[in-house]
Amino acid sequence: MTQKQASNALLSAALTYAAEGWRVFPIKSSQKKPPLISAWPSRATTDRRQIKEWWKKWPTANVGVATGAASGIVVVDVDRKTDGFRTLRKLCTRNGALPPTLVADTPNGGRHYFFRSDVKVRTSAGVLGKGIDIRGEGGYVVVSPSRLSGGRYAWRD
């Protein structure tokens, strides 16, 4: 894929997510995944014009989605490196399986589970157990087709 094709794919994805009501913003393509705009929690948007302006300025920016009430989603972020899948299996054994939902693989072998939510859920790290973070109010996730460290975010079937 050429850089122009990648840029078009990122912009197209950002516009698609915005059309679904997810508030998006550009993310730097680096390991730390910092937002490219200041005050991103209040500036993340579904406005097509603004999104096009951002991706014109940063054509290779990854796509960030604000979680929580802003987009009506909460994301369970499972980290492979810190035994998140083991923790998730234990939680599911004790409490029942996760309901069917939208799932994405992360470049580092982790997984994001997306849930619609109309209640405020705080962003937290490790509260449910080792290797599991919750992305809710004031949080964000990076989404497909964003790339990081040679890998990419990808939706599962």
Coordinates of all heavy atoms in Angstrom, one line a residue, residues 25-37 40 140:
F25 N -10.4 11.8 16.3 CA -9.4 12.9 16.3 C -8.1 12.2 15.8 O -8.0 11.0 15.9 CB -9.2 13.5 17.6 CG -8.9 12.6 18.7 CD1 -7.6 12.4 19.2 CD2 -9.9 11.9 19.4 CE1 -7.3 11.6 20.2 CE2 -9.6 11.0 20.4 CZ -8.3 10.8 20.8
P26 N -7.1 13.0 15.3 CA -5.9 12.4 14.8 C -4.9 12.0 16.0 O -4.8 12.8 17.0 CB -5.3 13.5 13.9 CG -5.8 14.7 14.5 CD -7.2 14.4 15.1
I27 N -4.2 10.9 15.8 CA -3.3 10.4 16.8 C -1.9 10.3 16.1 O -1.8 9.8 14.9 CB -3.7 9.0 17.3 CG1 -5.0 9.0 18.0 CG2 -2.6 8.3 18.1 CD1 -5.0 9.5 19.4
K28 N -0.8 10.6 16.8 CA 0.5 10.5 16.3 C 0.8 9.0 16.1 O 0.5 8.2 16.9 CB 1.5 11.1 17.2 CG 2.9 11.2 16.6 CD 3.8 12.0 17.5 CE 5.2 12.1 16.9 NZ 6.1 12.9 17.7
S29 N 1.5 8.7 15.0 CA 1.9 7.3 14.7 C 3.2 7.0 15.5 O 4.3 6.9 14.9 CB 2.1 7.1 13.2 OG 1.0 7.4 12.5
S30 N 3.1 6.8 16.8 CA 4.2 6.4 17.6 C 3.8 5.5 18.8 O 2.6 5.4 19.0 CB 4.9 7.7 18.2 OG 4.1 8.3 19.2
Q31 N 4.7 4.9 19.4 CA 4.4 3.9 20.4 C 3.6 4.5 21.6 O 2.7 3.8 22.1 CB 5.8 3.4 21.0 CG 5.6 2.1 21.9 CD 5.1 0.9 21.1 OE1 5.4 0.8 19.9 NE2 4.3 0.1 21.7
K32 N 3.8 5.7 21.9 CA 3.0 6.3 23.0 C 1.6 6.8 22.6 O 0.8 7.0 23.4 CB 3.8 7.5 23.6 CG 5.1 7.2 24.1 CD 5.1 7.4 25.6 CE 6.5 7.1 26.1 NZ 6.5 6.4 27.3
K33 N 1.3 6.9 21.3 CA 0.0 7.2 20.7 C -0.6 8.5 21.3 O -1.8 8.6 21.6 CB -1.0 6.1 21.0 CG -0.6 4.7 20.5 CD -1.5 3.6 20.9 CE -1.2 3.1 22.2 NZ -1.7 1.9 22.7
P34 N 0.2 9.6 21.2 CA -0.4 10.9 21.7 C -1.3 11.5 20.7 O -1.0 11.4 19.5 CB 0.9 11.7 22.0 CG 1.9 11.2 20.9 CD 1.6 9.8 20.9
P35 N -2.3 12.2 21.2 CA -3.2 13.0 20.2 C -2.4 14.1 19.6 O -1.4 14.7 20.1 CB -4.2 13.6 21.2 CG -4.3 12.7 22.3 CD -2.8 12.2 22.5
L36 N -2.7 14.4 18.3 CA -2.1 15.5 17.6 C -2.7 16.8 17.8 O -2.2 17.8 17.3 CB -2.0 15.1 16.1 CG -1.0 14.1 15.7 CD1 -1.3 13.5 14.3 CD2 0.4 14.7 15.8
I37 N -3.8 16.8 18.5 CA -4.5 18.1 18.8 C -4.6 18.3 20.3 O -4.7 17.3 21.1 CB -5.9 18.2 18.2 CG1 -6.8 17.0 18.7 CG2 -5.9 18.1 16.7 CD1 -8.3 17.1 18.4
W40 N -8.1 17.4 23.1 CA -8.8 16.4 22.3 C -10.1 15.9 22.9 O -11.0 15.7 22.2 CB -7.9 15.2 22.0 CG -7.5 14.4 23.2 CD1 -6.4 14.5 24.0 CD2 -8.3 13.4 23.8 NE1 -6.5 13.6 25.0 CE2 -7.7 12.9 24.9 CE3 -9.6 12.8 23.5 CZ2 -8.2 11.9 25.8 CZ3 -10.1 11.8 24.3 CH2 -9.4 11.3 25.4
Y140 N -9.6 7.1 25.3 CA -9.7 6.9 23.9 C -9.0 5.6 23.5 O -8.2 5.1 24.3 CB -9.1 8.1 23.1 CG -7.6 8.3 23.2 CD1 -6.7 7.7 22.3 CD2 -7.1 9.2 24.1 CE1 -5.4 7.9 22.4 CE2 -5.7 9.4 24.2 CZ -4.9 8.7 23.4 OH -3.5 9.0 23.5

